[in-house]
Amino acid sequence: MDLVQLQRQLVDYRTSLYHEGFLDEQFTQLQSLQDENNPDFVVEVVSLFFEDSERLLNELSKALEQQVIDFKRMDAQVHQLKGSSSSIGAHRVQKLCIVFRNYCEAQNVEGCLKCLQQVKHEYGIIKTKLESMFQLEQQILNAGGSIPV
Amino acid sequence: MNSSNGNGSMSTASSSGAWNGRDQFPAGLRVLVVDDDQTCLMVFEKMLKTCLYQVTKCNKAETALSVLREHKNEFDIVISDVHMPDMDGFELLKHINSEMDLPVILISADARKQVVMKGVTYGACDYLIKPVRIETLKNIWQHVVRKKARNTF
């Protein structure tokens, strides 16, 4: 695939992520913060998000396996996931966290279990999609091209 | 006395924080940002630096309080997350209000009215909902000027 095709593929891919609600304008904000002084800013922030999210999702899974469920602690963890997902524009994950928090507040175990599965699912999707997008960007850079805005 | 901002260039800020002749103001505004979430902290830091502010970041409220106590008069404004383990944003706000004269902005992904109300009644000069846009951060200098003006008159 030549450079122009790669660039076109990236633009289309990125646009679809917005159209399908995976990303929102906060992600655009992140991209606008990237510059020559911090050329890897977006990748770095997103990597931190992946790290934080995986830790939180593990902790939430463990919490729901306990005999006595600490809903307050879970609520704090979901809140944190909501904050970090909103700061990178991971729109679907953020929206699910709102629902999840309601179930925590209502101390609804079934609801929490269901939500956790949904969040894990959506997180998996956005992780794969962002990694694919970064790979595409890297291919363009390796081919000597620049990332289209 | 000149201080440098995060980008390594010199601003005309004096350490006493007087604004006279600071035509680069609000560049060089000295901000302390506190958030236990490393993703959010990294984004804030970058946004604040893009605004040409001088940024110090902390991931714990206790650390932020020590920094403020040890370096009094070296900060213009504090931005803090609300929900943090150990000491939260409200407690930090209470300490800052009783010990020093700094404007504090609270930030949270929590938009519930009772929480925002608590922030305002505890004396936060503003309460922002995450995700915070850079345009909002470009205006925070107004809180600093407003507080100084209130103290003078």
Side-chain angles (χ1 to χ4, degrees):
Chain A
M1 209 182 288
D2 72 5
L3 182 58
V4 176
Q5 279 179 299
L6 279 174
Q7 288 169 323
R8 203 170 293 147
Q9 193 184 14
L10 176 65
V11 172
D12 288 344
Y13 194 65
R14 226 191 275 154
T15 310
S16 74
L17 292 180
Y18 286 99
H19 276 171
E20 291 165 33
F22 288 108
L23 293 177
D24 61 33
E25 58 162 25
Q26 181 65 17
F27 192 79
T28 317
Q29 286 253 312
L30 285 193
Q31 289 181 304
S32 67
L33 289 172
Q34 188 163 288
D35 55 28
E36 319 81 57
N37 294 330
N38 294 89
D40 300 314
F41 176 69
V42 180
V43 174
E44 282 173 14
V45 177
V46 172
S47 302
L48 279 182
F49 168 69
F50 289 161
E51 215 181 277
D52 282 344
S53 302
E54 273 154 45
R55 178 183 48 86
L56 287 167
L57 290 171
N58 278 338
E59 286 180 21
L60 287 165
S61 298
K62 284 202 201 115
L64 282 166
E65 287 166 15
Q66 301 308 310
Q67 288 276 22
V68 181
I69 296 178
D70 189 346
F71 285 103
K72 201 164 169 224
R73 187 147 186 266
M74 271 182 52
D75 182 73
Q77 288 164 333
V78 177
H79 173 79
Q80 199 178 8
L81 185 58
K82 183 183 174 210
S84 56
S85 59
S86 76
S87 68
I88 70 141
H91 189 78
R92 288 196 188 186
V93 175
Q94 182 195 352
K95 286 277 171 276
L96 278 171
C97 287
I98 299 173
V99 182
F100 201 155
R101 283 199 80 192
N102 290 337
Y103 283 126
C104 289
E105 222 170 313
Q107 305 205 353
N108 181 332
V109 181
E110 282 308 305
C112 284
L113 281 165
K114 201 179 74 173
C115 254
L116 178 60
Q117 285 320 304
Q118 286 175 314
V119 175
K120 281 182 169 175
H121 178 71
E122 282 300 336
Y123 168 73
I125 296 177
I126 190 67
K127 182 170 188 221
T128 307
K129 287 194 180 282
L130 284 171
E131 284 173 341
S132 301
M133 196 184 79
F134 292 145
Q135 267 169 22
L136 206 43
E137 286 181 355
Q138 196 55 53
Q139 277 180 279
I140 292 171
L141 291 171
N142 292 345
S146 59
I147 312 291
V149 287
Chain B
M1 177 182 158
N2 282 336
S3 58
S4 64
N5 67 19
N7 293 340
S9 58
M10 302 296 270
S11 73
T12 52
S14 68
S15 58
S16 69
W19 311 130
N20 43 298
R22 278 178 70 173
D23 26 58
Q24 284 176 35
F25 177 82
L29 195 74
R30 302 160 304 173
V31 185
L32 178 68
V33 59
V34 193
D35 196 325
D36 63 318
D37 185 300
Q38 56 173 353
T39 309
C40 295
L41 203 53
M42 189 175 173
V43 176
F44 282 139
E45 187 192 30
K46 189 66 169 75
M47 284 185 170
L48 292 164
K49 283 189 170 167
T50 305
C51 295
L52 302 181
Y53 299 157
Q54 193 178 331
V55 189
T56 307
K57 56 178 181 171
C58 286
N59 62 4
K60 284 182 86 160
E62 288 103 332
T63 315
L65 203 48
S66 315
V67 169
L68 288 169
R69 282 171 179 158
E70 274 168 59
H71 300 271
K72 280 198 169 152
N73 303 321
E74 287 179 38
F75 290 98
D76 296 308
I77 189 163
V78 178
I79 301 179
S80 175
D81 188 30
V82 169
H83 296 281
M84 294 184 283
D86 309 322
M87 194 193 292
D88 67 18
F90 295 122
E91 240 197 284
L92 177 61
L93 172 60
K94 268 185 358 191
H95 280 291
I96 294 176
N97 280 344
S98 64
E99 293 176 37
M100 35 198 117
D101 194 31
L102 276 179
V104 180
I105 295 177
L106 289 178
I107 334 190
S108 184
D110 194 340
R112 289 175 296 176
K113 195 166 80 174
Q114 66 268 36
V115 189
V116 179
M117 186 72 80
K118 189 174 174 186
V120 174
T121 50
Y122 270 46
C125 64
D126 209 345
Y127 188 114
L128 307 173
I129 310 295
K130 286 181 183 175
V132 177
R133 294 182 64 91
I134 196 173
E135 288 78 15
T136 310
L137 295 175
K138 284 188 174 151
N139 285 322
I140 62 172
W141 60 269
Q142 296 176 18
H143 297 292
V144 181
V145 177
R146 195 175 295 127
K147 207 174 220 287
K148 286 210 187 304
R150 264 205 212 112
N151 293 344
T152 314
F153 299 110

